[in-house]
Amino acid sequence: MLFFTQCFGAVLDLIHLRFQHYKAKRVFSAAGQLVCVVNPTHSLKYAPTRCAAAQTSAEQGVLPPCHHHEAVHDPQLVPCTCPLFSCPWEGHLEVVVSHLRQTHRINILQGAEIVFLATEMHLPAPTDWIIMHSCLGHQFLLVLRKQEKYEGHPQFFATMMLIGTPTQADNFTYRLELNRNQRRLKWEATPRSVLECVDSVISDGDCLVLNTSLAQLFSDNGSLAIGIAITTSKVHNAEAEM
């Protein structure tokens, strides 16, 4: 009976996931956009990443402890960019994608325009929805986070990070679009580099920010569909033509 119950529950979850994918595909198929259903990563105890801890220490005027036996840190090494994980991994930009895919099982979707369908928006903060987007010869990391910036008032923060350098990031523009019930909301900006910290981007508010009421206006049965489009920046195009 236990085996049957577990199998039956897994089948119901699969049916529910397929139904959500079908609804999103029906809505966005007219625009020729690919739909990716993204399940949440929920942490009951939020463990800040090392870059967030370093930023907090710097703001408080406290420097991290120095041990004479430790080697000088290589500035080219990137800490794990996957939020909500206290992952000790660090490596070069060239292997960030393989680490995210193999260790954290983050999906990657290809296409100029895709739809990011985040499920289970009702889960308590902090919760992340993460996907990689391969476009224009580069890989981008989209992070949607539900977080309480003020106690008792959760908000949703969505940002796009380029898995590359800040100079490379300046060559692109990303657009996030919410469209439902005759309402449309757009956010357009230059992506930040993963060499920066997702936590700092969210704390600076340099991203799409939704309060709970606004997120509910655009959600459908607990899921939030975000259209994503990435283009090369106009400044970069103009310089290339000159």
Side-chain angles (χ1 to χ4, degrees), residues 134-149:
S134 179
C135 180
L136 300 175
H138 289 77
Q139 282 74 41
F140 301 82
L141 187 71
L142 178 69
V143 178
L144 173 65
R145 174 175 296 176
K146 184 178 183 180
Q147 180 174 312
E148 289 188 357
K149 203 165 186 181

Side-chain angles (χ1 to χ4, degrees), residues 25-90:
K25 192 172 182 180
R26 182 182 58 186
V27 173
F28 294 99
S29 60
Q33 294 173 312
L34 298 174
V35 178
C36 184
V37 178
V38 185
N39 293 320
T41 299
H42 182 59
S43 176
L44 295 177
K45 183 177 181 181
Y46 183 74
T49 57
R50 284 176 296 171
C51 56
Q55 182 183 11
T56 302
S57 299
E59 291 173 351
Q60 296 175 350
V62 179
L63 296 177
C66 178
H67 302 283
H68 295 287
H69 66 274
E70 290 183 355
V72 177
H73 178 71
D74 187 349
Q76 295 182 344
L77 293 180
V78 183
C80 178
T81 57
C82 192
L84 292 187
F85 287 101
S86 55
C87 179
W89 180 91
E90 61 180 8

Side-chain angles (χ1 to χ4, degrees), residues 3 5 12 14 21 32-34 39 58 65 71 73 87 89 95-96 105 107 205 213 217 221 224 231:
F3 175 78
T5 303
L12 287 180
L14 180 60
H21 183 275
Q33 294 173 312
L34 298 174
N39 293 320
H73 178 71
C87 179
W89 180 91
V95 294
V96 169
R105 305 298 181 187
N107 294 325
S213 299
L217 286 176
N221 195 25
L224 186 67
T231 58

Side-chain angles (χ1 to χ4, degrees), residues 25-204:
K25 192 172 182 180
R26 182 182 58 186
V27 173
F28 294 99
S29 60
Q33 294 173 312
L34 298 174
V35 178
C36 184
V37 178
V38 185
N39 293 320
T41 299
H42 182 59
S43 176
L44 295 177
K45 183 177 181 181
Y46 183 74
T49 57
R50 284 176 296 171
C51 56
Q55 182 183 11
T56 302
S57 299
E59 291 173 351
Q60 296 175 350
V62 179
L63 296 177
C66 178
H67 302 283
H68 295 287
H69 66 274
E70 290 183 355
V72 177
H73 178 71
D74 187 349
Q76 295 182 344
L77 293 180
V78 183
C80 178
T81 57
C82 192
L84 292 187
F85 287 101
S86 55
C87 179
W89 180 91
E90 61 180 8
H92 292 275
L93 279 173
E94 294 78 9
V95 294
V96 169
V97 173
S98 60
H99 169 73
L100 292 176
R101 296 197 67 181
Q102 296 173 9
T103 304
H104 299 297
R105 305 298 181 187
I106 298 196
N107 294 325
I108 186 168
L109 199 63
Q110 298 183 2
E113 296 186 8
I114 65 174
V115 175
F116 178 96
L117 184 65
T119 65
E120 301 182 62
M121 303 293 294
H122 62 278
L123 287 178
T127 304
D128 278 353
W129 294 260
I130 311 167
I131 192 176
M132 283 190 291
H133 183 188
S134 179
C135 180
L136 300 175
H138 289 77
Q139 282 74 41
F140 301 82
L141 187 71
L142 178 69
V143 178
L144 173 65
R145 174 175 296 176
K146 184 178 183 180
Q147 180 174 312
E148 289 188 357
K149 203 165 186 181
Y150 305 100
E151 186 175 357
H153 296 84
Q155 294 177 297
F156 293 89
F157 304 86
T159 186
M160 181 75 76
M161 312 285 287
L162 172 71
I163 303 179
T165 66
T167 302
Q168 292 174 319
D170 288 339
N171 296 329
F172 299 96
T173 299
Y174 75 94
R175 185 181 74 247
L176 305 179
E177 181 175 338
L178 304 176
N179 189 356
R180 186 174 182 270
N181 292 337
Q182 299 180 344
R183 299 179 180 88
R184 179 173 296 182
L185 180 63
K186 290 184 180 181
W187 167 266
E188 187 170 294
T190 299
R192 304 280 283 269
S193 167
V194 293
L195 294 177
E196 304 177 63
C197 188
V198 175
D199 295 334
S200 63
V201 174
I202 291 176
S203 62
D204 293 342

